[in-house]
Amino acid sequence: MAPPIASIEDAQNRLEQTGYLPSAQISTVAFLVDRLEKPVLVEGPAGVGKTELARALAQATGRELIRLQCYEGLDEAKALYEWEYAKQLLYTQLLKDKIGELLVGAQTIQDAAERVASSDAVFFSRRFLLPRPVLQALLNERPALLLIDEIDKADPEFEAFLLEVLADFAVTIPELGTLKAVHTPRVVLTSNNARELSDALKRRCLHLYIDYPTQERELRIVRSRLPKVSEKLSASVVEAVGKLRKMDLKKSPSIAETIDWAQALALLNAESLSAELVAQTLNLVLKHESDVEKAKGQLSQLAGT
């Protein structure tokens, strides 16, 4: 594991070394997350780099990234742990002779049941425990960063469960007792604001809102990812995407789609944007036909002509 982040500048440098270009606000929060050991809730539109920030922060701090993708109906078992019943059954088959010896002399069914129950600890031990992402992050021998992605897609009941885990970084398993974190994990929760999250969860976390980047910062991102694409073409694409995001679209272009568009245009040997070229390639950056048709009404403006 890397040493703790020493300062905001150190956070910025480490994130940039991973290929993530942070704003000053992002660098500040990254520093505080590492030093305060508090979870951070990262909100913002889809495609602005929330998940990428978690990946970059894990790399910058030398932590293993463990991801929990949230969805409607996600429950504690899928997030926390399950018992490997197939493995327990296999061991039962392999140890059937020993189990038979255990039951020798049992006078009643109740007596037999009590003898079997006395061996519960054998079959409900760490050997048969299957950790899911939350418990895995707590028990990991290597310090971890737990990414709870798109928490707004999970049910409010799951939020309540998370509050208990994030409060103590410990989990109680009835058969095993309380298991505490081997190393306090760093926790990043992301939300696309599909629903309002509880005040209790927000109080537990630091908060960071990431919006679409400024044109200057997005151009830096594109140039860092696509150094062989000319600055002129990159700047034209970033400017056009900025104009698209101001339109009333079903889905505004993400940073990743800006990069894809610039790369595709470079492969087409484009040196700059033209109205014709924009019309031919809008489907690369807009993923709804109604958005494409709306944007085609402003081709000249998008091309900067």
Side-chain angles (χ1 to χ4, degrees), residues 239-277:
E239 185 177 354
V241 168
K243 293 174 181 177
L244 286 170
R245 288 178 183 148
K246 293 178 182 178
M247 297 181 187
D248 183 21
L249 303 176
K250 284 188 176 181
K251 179 187 176 300
S252 294
S254 67
I255 299 173
E257 286 161 342
T258 304
I259 294 171
D260 289 344
W261 197 18
Q263 187 173 29
L265 290 169
L267 289 173
L268 294 172
N269 297 315
E271 295 182 1
S272 60
L273 283 179
S274 65
E276 182 181 4
L277 193 55

Side-chain angles (χ1 to χ4, degrees), residues 21 30 65 77 90 122 156 158 180 188 190 201 210 238 241 251 264:
L21 301 182
L65 177 68
L90 175 62
V122 174
F158 183 74
K180 295 185 177 181
V188 176
T190 72
L201 181 66
I210 301 181
V238 168
V241 168
K251 179 187 176 300

Side-chain angles (χ1 to χ4, degrees), residues 196-216:
E196 186 67 25
L197 300 175
S198 68
D199 289 340
L201 181 66
K202 291 183 176 181
R203 282 196 304 271
R204 192 82 64 192
C205 303
L206 299 175
H207 183 262
L208 173 64
Y209 184 87
I210 301 181
D211 205 345
Y212 292 111
T214 62
Q215 287 193 18
E216 179 183 2

Side-chain angles (χ1 to χ4, degrees), residues 1 7 10 40 64 79 93 105 108 123 128-129 134 145-146 148 169 187 189 194 200-201 203 214 229 250 297:
M1 186 179 72
S7 63
D10 186 30
V40 59
E64 180 177 343
Q93 296 295 328
T108 64
F123 293 97
F128 300 102
L129 189 68
V134 173
L145 184 145
L146 175 62
I148 303 175
F169 290 109
V187 182
L189 303 95
L201 181 66
R203 282 196 304 271
T214 62
V229 176
K250 284 188 176 181

Side-chain angles (χ1 to χ4, degrees), residues 1-3 5 11 14-15 18 20 30 33-34 40 50-67 142-147 185-188:
M1 186 179 72
I5 296 177
R14 291 198 200 187
L15 290 173
T18 72
Y20 187 95
V33 166
D34 192 46
V40 59
K50 300 185 296 295
T51 300
E52 284 303 314
L53 172 59
R55 292 195 179 103
L57 187 57
Q59 187 177 342
T61 55
R63 292 174 174 268
E64 180 177 343
L65 177 68
I66 298 174
R67 179 178 181 180
R142 178 185 169 192
L145 184 145
L146 175 62
L147 167 60
R186 302 297 177 263
V187 182
V188 176

Side-chain angles (χ1 to χ4, degrees), residues 164-186:
E164 297 181 21
V165 176
L166 297 180
D168 303 318
F169 290 109
V171 168
T172 299
I173 299 175
E175 298 85 353
L176 299 178
T178 300
L179 302 180
K180 295 185 177 181
V182 177
H183 304 281
T184 302
R186 302 297 177 263

